[in-house]
Amino acid sequence: MKDVKCECGHVNPHGTVLCEACGKILVEEENEKQLLDMRYEGSARRSQIYQKTVVDKVWNFFSSVKVGVWLIIITLIASILGTILPQKMYINLPPEVYYEKEYGWFGKLYYQLGFHDLYGSWWYLLLIAMIGISLVICSLDRVVPLYKALKAQRVTRHEGFLKRQRVFGASHNVDQRDIETVKQHLIQKHYKVREENGDLLAEKGRFSRWGPYVNHVGLIIFLFGAMLRFIPGMYVNENLWVREGETALVPETGEKFYVHNNKFILEHYDKEKNKTFEKALDRAGNVVKNYQSNVVLYQRSGEKIPGEKPKLEKVKEYKIRVNHPLEFEGYSIYQSSFRSEMDSMTFALINKKTEKSFGELTINLRTPKEKYDLGNGYSVKILNYFPDFEFAENGEPSTKSRVPNNPAFIFRMTAPDKPKGETSFVAIRQTIEPFGNNTYKMAFKRIGTTNVSGFTVRKDSSIWVIIFGGILFMIGVIQGAYWNHRRIWVQNKNGDVWIAAHTNKNWYGLKREIEKVLEDTKLKMPEDQLQREQKDKEGV
Amino acid sequence: MVELSGNLLFIAFILYLVATLFFGGSIKQKKDLNDTKTTNKWGKIAVFLTIIGFISQLGYFIIRWIVAGHAPVSNMFEFTTFFGMALVGAFIVIYFIYRTTLLGLFTMPVAILVIAYASMFPRDISPLIPSLQSYWLYIHVTTAAIGEAILAISFAAGLIYLVKAIDQTKSTKKTFWLEFVMFCLVTVIGFVVVSSVFAGMGYHEKFNWVDKSGNQAQIEYTMPALTGPHEGKLLTKDGFKPWAEMPAFINAKKLNTVIWSVAAGIVLYGLIRLIIRKRIGSMLKPLVKNIKLDFVDEISYRSVLIGFPVFTLGALIFAMIWAQVAWSRFWGWDPKEVWALITWLFYAAFMHLRLSKGWHGEKSAWLAVIGFAIIMFNLVAVNLVIAGLHSYAGS
Ligand code: HEM
């Protein structure tokens, strides 16, 4: 590939449209256009030079803004599809049941197409990945040539370049003092003015040209950060249920941290106390004001010895509330839900006929005792306990889990008149006497409940990458959107003074600025050549 | 206090209405709308009234904040009125950049419609559920609304562009879609009219019905039920008997409101057409006679440029921060979040098309209209129809 030497002496890379230094048009076809395409300063981009190998083809595909925009539009439409019905994480039934039950054939189809988990589907992730690749390649393709072209530009520009700028005009018989005035005005307007044999180039806001690149880099870093959480250890997201009064190991902390739940608190708004909300509460009914768990965080001290109870050291007390997670060493514990759980059952031993009670006993459902002595020769033994009772397939009683959701017992009741004891099977709302008619009965009295706080334990080492990407993105968009790159050329050509101007956006503002700059001089306001064309079309 | 704040909002509303009339007057008076140095007397009064109205609405906002103890952006009424206020604020800012009163003539009616629409929702001050008790929420919601409002200015400018650029002498696809936009705006008036009329009559009717999970429930309609609830039994004597019964997963009450609004919109639009005997777009055309196309085009694009970073910050970044603190994850694919992402992607595509594909002028104006439609969809449909974490319960 040959480099191109311009008549001004500057050597341009192959594929350059406008000489980087003087702006002379190097490609024949451009000469025929009325206005120059100033995007990327007519610099040589890889995508336009190399078009042979597979790598070139892939590069060219991803470096095209057209492809980029298509990717964005396709992602946009795909995202819409996912909002038609609730996504998998917002439903409370298995998806294969839920969609058909709630939305009929449409729901079934939605599920079969995989739209119930659209944002986690391989093709959605692929789309995002392709946007990422496109961002990287597209930016690389443009940023270096653009940088070179902007750096190499000379003050004096080629006639063809000036004439084909959108804002252009020539003034005859100019007083050179006017040029000095213009220069002063430009400096007042914070232009950087360079001078070369009486020609001026005033430029400002060049840095805004890097805005898109900065924001794209920010986006790439953001996407990269979001990807990091697939690396084990970078991202912890666990549920943790802790009963009131209990201490639990915080998962994924290397058995280092323990949390003790002192109390769970649920508060509602009170109409009487909050008069302001009275009407709204009348309409909405009960509204929750606060979910809170008062906890103590402990740290294990000393070595971990298997089989031994860990020694715990108190780190801090904290009230975990929604919006106020407990934070320590990169971990956060959030208040995410709660439930109330049965934790004890109280029975009375009674005579079935007389209903006389011989004492009560309270069974702790998590750690039931084997035998309860009621005195006077009365006692009750638990022969078998099913915390989550069901009849197994063979008809035998069994338990589904160790959580006391549906406790059932086999009791042996001993009394002075029944020294051998009577056996009774007791579950919620049913009593079976396997060996015939009993004299005694375990009468259900009440249940005791305890609150269980539901926490989310979260550690997100990638969050800093994501935050950094987000900040960089914001800097980039602001840089690109709130400033613009303006250049004004004031040059002596053939005894006249030519003024041309270019901006990457906000032409209207540029023109107003030129008007101001030309005040108090006899220089003619240059014309907007694009608008002239448009006017011809509009016929105004 | 609550009453005072309500009154201030009402005053603001009236001032906006009057200002719109003055904006209209300023157009008639002025020969060259692009000449920035000379806003005429009508225009000056219009801008002055707009600013006073804005201050009055700010008063409403602040007082309500003090009374409620939290920023009033937490239900449909509050958020939407705030959006209306942001729209006026954004207009004032853009006005001082470009000094064209024509923009006011097109923006203020949109703001008025937004506030009128908002007022149809329950106006009680509601308590905040725990997840909403966070100052990040206020920062997120207000910044997002301001961003959306600035983007909406590009819609107003785009509309001016289209009214001027589209040839009204023959009926084309373009005239059709422009009229469709006008019709949608009229339908908002339709909604406000039917809601106010039935509210004024104190219309009520109650149904027993069976919900999705097969539970018996009661529902109260405030408009005659054209679409009845699933297995609905009318409890009110002389109540209106529904024409059709809806399946359980469709919210028959909201659908009913939509049907009434569209019907009212059609009637209103028909009346307007009968009176003016041409398209609304064609009626507005003389107003934009003196403005230059590339000038409004630039206003439209500039609003996108100013609004996009604000929107990104408010609707995505602050939203993520709040979500991280409240829900333990910064992104959850909740419908409202996804629609913010969609809006963002759309404007990103818009800017790329403009910068790289040279989509200026008319194409860009259509894109501005579509962008506003997406924002409105997120504000109205996603809140009311696609329920998610963000849906304002009960309102
Ligand atoms: C969601 C993803 C994207 C966002 C939010 C984004 C954002 C932006 C923004 C805000 C600008 C400045 C536009 C203006 O000032 O009017 C820009 C410019 C640009 N973007 Fe993107 N972009 C995204 C994806 C892409 C992709 C995938 C490509 C690759 C094809 C791309 C290529 C470009 C190019 C070439 C420019 C113009 C740069 C210049 O003129 O110097 N963008 N982008």
Side-chain angles (χ1 to χ4, degrees):
Chain A
M1 297 263 163
K2 270 215 321 277
D3 290 342
V4 191
K5 188 165 177 188
C6 175
E7 59 180 36
C8 75
H10 185 81
V11 180
N12 295 287
H14 174 84
T16 308
V17 182
L18 305 174
C19 170
E20 289 172 344
C22 75
K24 181 180 182 325
I25 300 165
L26 302 173
V27 178
E28 268 313 309
E29 308 96 72
E30 279 302 307
N31 258 321
E32 279 151 37
K33 293 194 189 151
Q34 230 188 358
L35 292 179
L36 284 182
D37 182 356
M38 286 286 287
R39 239 177 291 142
Y40 321 115
E41 309 289 312
S43 56
R45 285 183 277 143
R46 188 190 192 284
S47 60
Q48 292 170 330
I49 308 164
Y50 303 98
Q51 305 179 332
K52 293 223 181 65
T53 64
V54 179
V55 177
D56 296 342
K57 295 248 159 71
V58 172
W59 180 278
N60 296 350
F61 177 77
F62 282 113
S63 73
S64 146
V65 177
K66 197 163 153 190
V67 171
V69 172
W70 271 114
L71 287 174
I72 293 175
I73 303 275
I74 294 170
T75 311
L76 187 159
I77 292 167
S79 307
I80 294 178
L81 294 177
T83 63
I84 298 175
L85 298 184
Q87 289 289 296
K88 172 180 99 171
M89 53 275 202
Y90 292 109
I91 62 176
N92 47 12
L93 283 175
E96 57 274 20
V97 184
Y98 175 85
Y99 289 96
E100 195 174 352
K101 179 168 165 269
E102 297 275 318
Y103 305 101
W105 64 268
F106 180 75
K108 191 172 172 190
L109 184 68
Y110 197 81
Y111 171 68
Q112 280 165 347
L113 288 172
F115 289 176
H116 65 295
D117 186 20
L118 191 140
Y119 307 111
S121 67
W122 63 269
W123 57 273
Y124 192 81
L125 294 180
L126 186 68
L127 274 174
I128 307 255
M130 279 169 67
I131 289 182
I133 295 169
S134 180
L135 273 167
V136 174
I137 294 186
C138 171
S139 303
L140 285 179
D141 194 48
R142 288 164 168 79
V143 70
V144 176
L146 180 64
Y147 175 78
K148 279 196 190 147
L150 283 175
K151 214 173 145 95
Q153 59 177 329
R154 291 218 181 118
V155 175
T156 307
R157 284 292 178 132
H158 196 267
E159 287 176 20
F161 177 88
L162 295 175
K163 254 191 208 156
R164 286 182 184 76
Q165 292 301 322
R166 186 173 149 180
V167 174
F168 172 74
S171 309
H172 312 288
N173 310 327
V174 179
D175 186 344
Q176 280 302 316
R177 272 175 310 186
D178 277 355
I179 299 213
E180 191 51 36
T181 318
V182 166
K183 188 178 161 190
Q184 290 315 317
H185 284 169
L186 285 168
I187 290 170
Q188 272 165 24
K189 294 239 164 235
H190 307 290
Y191 278 88
K192 251 199 227 130
V193 183
R194 280 158 61 197
E195 201 166 353
E196 208 178 80
N197 353 317
D199 293 339
L200 299 184
L201 163 57
E203 185 175 10
K204 77 172 169 190
R206 191 198 283 181
F207 79 102
S208 81
R209 291 293 284 275
W210 312 119
Y213 302 95
V214 174
N215 89 40
H216 290 163
V217 170
L219 272 181
I220 295 162
I221 293 175
F222 184 96
L223 291 176
F224 175 74
M227 240 166 52
L228 278 183
R229 56 174 55 179
F230 294 113
I231 299 173
M234 287 301 275
Y235 181 67
V236 172
N237 178 28
E238 300 276 337
N239 289 326
L240 173 65
W241 292 92
V242 189
R243 286 181 198 91
E244 279 182 343
E246 287 194 1
T247 307
L249 174 66
V250 183
E252 306 279 342
T253 56
E255 301 191 16
K256 198 168 156 204
F257 288 101
Y258 291 76
V259 62
H260 177 84
N261 184 3
N262 270 333
K263 192 166 173 51
F264 174 79
I265 297 167
L266 171 64
E267 286 173 286
H268 289 97
Y269 282 97
D270 184 348
K271 264 193 284 195
E272 305 306 315
K273 279 197 210 133
N274 302 285
K275 286 284 182 211
T276 330
F277 302 138
E278 197 171 345
K279 275 207 204 110
L281 288 173
D282 277 340
R283 219 158 28 84
N286 259 347
V287 176
V288 175
K289 187 177 179 186
N290 187 23
Y291 298 108
Q292 173 177 330
S293 300
N294 296 348
V295 301
V296 187
L297 179 71
Y298 291 101
Q299 186 170 7
R300 180 170 51 79
S301 68
E303 277 306 293
K304 185 170 69 189
I305 302 158
E308 231 172 78
K309 252 198 166 176
K311 277 203 203 73
L312 297 183
E313 233 173 68
K314 181 162 152 184
V315 181
K316 63 173 157 186
E317 287 182 23
Y318 192 78
K319 296 178 173 121
I320 304 183
R321 287 183 295 145
V322 177
N323 270 315
H324 302 274
L326 164 62
E327 293 180 348
F328 58 95
E329 292 200 10
Y331 293 90
S332 309
I333 300 187
Y334 293 83
Q335 175 70 51
S336 63
S337 55
F338 80 98
R339 63 165 187 249
S340 156
E341 200 178 85
M342 256 192 277
D343 76 333
S344 70
M345 277 177 117
T346 303
F347 295 93
L349 179 68
I350 60 168
N351 184 309
K352 266 161 76 182
K353 264 197 212 108
T354 62
E355 301 215 336
K356 182 174 163 27
S357 167
F358 302 97
E360 286 189 359
L361 56 102
T362 296
I363 303 169
N364 182 327
L365 293 177
R366 216 151 296 107
T367 50
K369 283 200 288 189
E370 215 170 290
K371 189 174 169 190
Y372 296 83
D373 212 330
L374 300 177
N376 305 331
Y378 294 90
S379 72
V380 177
K381 226 170 150 178
I382 298 181
L383 296 183
N384 219 334
Y385 168 45
F386 312 96
D388 198 0
F389 164 73
E390 66 172 357
F391 279 111
E393 270 164 38
N394 59 9
E396 294 286 311
S398 73
T399 184
K400 259 189 283 194
S401 72
R402 307 200 37 192
V403 185
N405 289 328
N406 182 22
F409 307 87
I410 299 179
F411 291 119
R412 159 99 23 102
M413 305 163 285
T414 326
D417 56 331
K418 299 277 178 191
K420 277 221 192 100
E422 292 179 335
T423 307
S424 167
F425 173 86
V426 180
I428 290 173
R429 275 187 241 164
Q430 66 177 345
T431 303
I432 298 170
E433 296 173 353
F435 305 112
N437 241 341
N438 289 349
T439 315
Y440 294 94
K441 176 182 163 183
M442 293 294 280
F444 170 76
K445 284 286 169 204
R446 62 189 112 62
I447 55 173
T449 59
T450 177
N451 288 317
V452 192
S453 296
F455 298 116
T456 300
V457 179
R458 172 83 45 145
K459 182 181 162 191
D460 205 345
S461 308
S462 60
I463 196 90
W464 297 107
V465 181
I466 290 173
I467 290 172
F468 178 69
I471 292 174
L472 205 58
F473 177 81
M474 276 317 296
I475 293 175
V477 264
I478 288 175
Q479 184 180 344
Y482 292 179
W483 280 270
N484 41 65
H485 182 210
R486 292 177 176 176
R487 272 172 294 174
I488 302 173
W489 294 272
V490 183
Q491 324 226 305
N492 295 297
K493 298 276 177 201
N494 315 328
D496 293 338
V497 170
W498 288 15
I499 298 179
H502 181 76
T503 180
N504 60 337
K505 51 188 61 142
N506 295 338
W507 291 86
Y508 183 82
L510 174 70
K511 285 184 278 177
R512 282 205 1 223
E513 199 160 64
I514 298 176
E515 266 171 29
K516 288 254 166 64
V517 165
L518 298 185
E519 260 173 22
D520 312 325
T521 72
K522 293 205 194 62
L523 289 166
K524 227 174 75 198
M525 177 66 198
E527 249 189 276
D528 185 339
Q529 309 199 66
L530 190 73
Q531 204 171 16
R532 197 176 58 208
E533 267 172 52
Q534 231 172 31
K535 254 193 198 156
D536 297 344
K537 261 193 259 161
E538 275 176 42
V540 177
Chain B
M1 285 287 264
V2 184
E3 211 165 288
L4 172 64
S5 111
N7 289 341
L8 283 175
L9 180 62
F10 186 68
I11 290 170
F13 186 77
I14 300 295
L15 284 171
Y16 295 159
L17 271 175
V18 179
T20 307
L21 297 179
F22 276 91
F23 277 122
S26 77
I27 305 304
K28 287 249 152 62
Q29 296 283 315
K30 195 159 155 190
K31 283 276 123 43
D32 186 7
L33 290 166
N34 312 289
D35 185 358
T36 55
K37 277 160 234 131
T38 56
T39 303
N40 62 26
K41 222 193 214 153
W42 286 71
K44 279 187 185 133
I45 295 173
V47 173
F48 178 73
L49 290 175
T50 306
I51 293 174
I52 301 292
F54 181 75
I55 292 171
S56 174
Q57 195 175 355
L58 209 57
Y60 140 82
F61 186 76
I62 292 168
I63 293 175
R64 194 174 167 103
W65 188 330
I66 294 168
V67 174
H70 60 79
V73 286
S74 66
N75 60 31
M76 196 67 184
F77 163 72
E78 291 176 343
F79 177 76
T80 313
T81 44
F82 181 81
F83 177 65
M85 182 166 92
L87 202 55
V88 176
F91 161 68
I92 293 171
V93 171
I94 306 264
Y95 173 79
F96 282 106
I97 300 178
Y98 288 106
R99 305 224 175 225
T100 173
T101 48
L102 182 60
L103 190 63
L105 184 61
F106 277 72
T107 312
M108 295 309 286
V110 177
I112 290 168
L113 280 182
V114 166
I115 296 172
Y117 170 80
S119 310
M120 297 302 117
F121 291 90
R123 271 173 267 178
D124 317 327
I125 295 180
S126 37
L128 293 185
I129 56 170
S131 59
L132 301 185
Q133 298 164 8
S134 160
Y135 55 86
W136 278 114
L137 172 74
Y138 315 149
I139 297 175
H140 149 53
V141 173
T142 51
T143 319
I146 292 170
E148 287 174 348
I150 302 172
L151 292 171
I153 299 288
S154 94
F155 160 72
L159 212 54
I160 297 176
Y161 192 102
L162 294 174
V163 167
K164 179 164 171 95
I166 291 175
D167 179 7
Q168 292 282 356
T169 55
K170 52 186 185 285
S171 153
T172 56
K173 254 198 289 192
K174 288 178 191 171
T175 55
F176 171 80
W177 284 110
L178 185 60
E179 280 309 282
F180 180 73
V181 174
M182 299 297 170
F183 169 73
C184 290
L185 294 174
V186 171
T187 302
V188 180
I189 306 180
F191 168 73
V192 172
V193 169
V194 286
S195 305
S196 315
V197 167
F198 287 123
M201 288 162 54
Y203 192 93
H204 277 288
E205 64 182 27
K206 257 193 194 159
F207 287 90
N208 265 337
W209 69 295
V210 179
D211 72 9
K212 266 196 302 207
S213 8
N215 298 324
Q216 282 282 340
Q218 262 195 8
I219 190 167
E220 196 171 320
Y221 278 56
T222 49
M223 296 181 193
L226 302 174
T227 53
H230 180 57
E231 294 182 21
K233 274 200 208 72
L234 187 60
L235 300 178
T236 313
K237 250 201 289 171
D238 321 319
F240 189 89
K241 288 239 171 52
W243 290 347
E245 184 186 302
M246 293 292 115
F249 67 85
I250 287 181
N251 188 323
K253 183 179 162 185
K254 283 174 184 165
L255 181 64
N256 186 53
T257 309
V258 171
I259 294 174
W260 271 107
S261 310
V262 173
I266 292 172
V267 171
L268 273 175
Y269 182 79
L271 279 175
I272 294 173
R273 289 294 295 262
L274 267 179
I275 294 165
I276 64 174
R277 305 213 155 259
K278 51 182 152 188
R279 293 186 204 99
I280 296 182
S282 163
M283 177 189 74
L284 294 175
K285 205 158 177 145
L287 295 175
V288 300
K289 198 172 61 203
N290 290 326
I291 196 126
K292 278 191 201 130
L293 282 178
D294 74 327
F295 178 55
V296 263
D297 181 50
E298 176 155 329
I299 298 177
S300 175
Y301 179 44
R302 192 79 189 276
S303 321
V304 174
L305 279 178
I306 300 175
F308 185 75
V310 180
F311 178 80
T312 309
L313 193 66
L316 295 170
I317 295 192
F318 288 156
M320 287 189 208
I321 296 175
W322 172 56
Q324 179 76 17
V325 178
W327 311 100
S328 81
R329 43 136 192 82
F330 64 86
W331 192 259
W333 299 108
D334 168 82
K336 190 99 188 179
E337 276 171 1
V338 176
W339 275 93
L341 178 70
I342 290 167
T343 313
W344 183 75
L345 287 173
F346 178 82
Y347 280 101
F350 179 162
M351 295 169 93
H352 286 99
L353 286 170
R354 189 160 169 127
L355 207 64
S356 297
K357 292 269 144 248
W359 280 30
H360 295 248
E362 204 171 309
K363 279 181 183 156
S364 171
W366 282 116
L367 289 179
V369 171
I370 297 170
F372 183 67
I374 294 176
I375 290 175
M376 284 296 113
F377 186 85
N378 199 2
L379 181 65
V380 179
V382 177
N383 275 340
L384 300 179
V385 182
I386 307 175
L389 295 175
H390 286 75
S391 80
Y392 297 126
S395 36

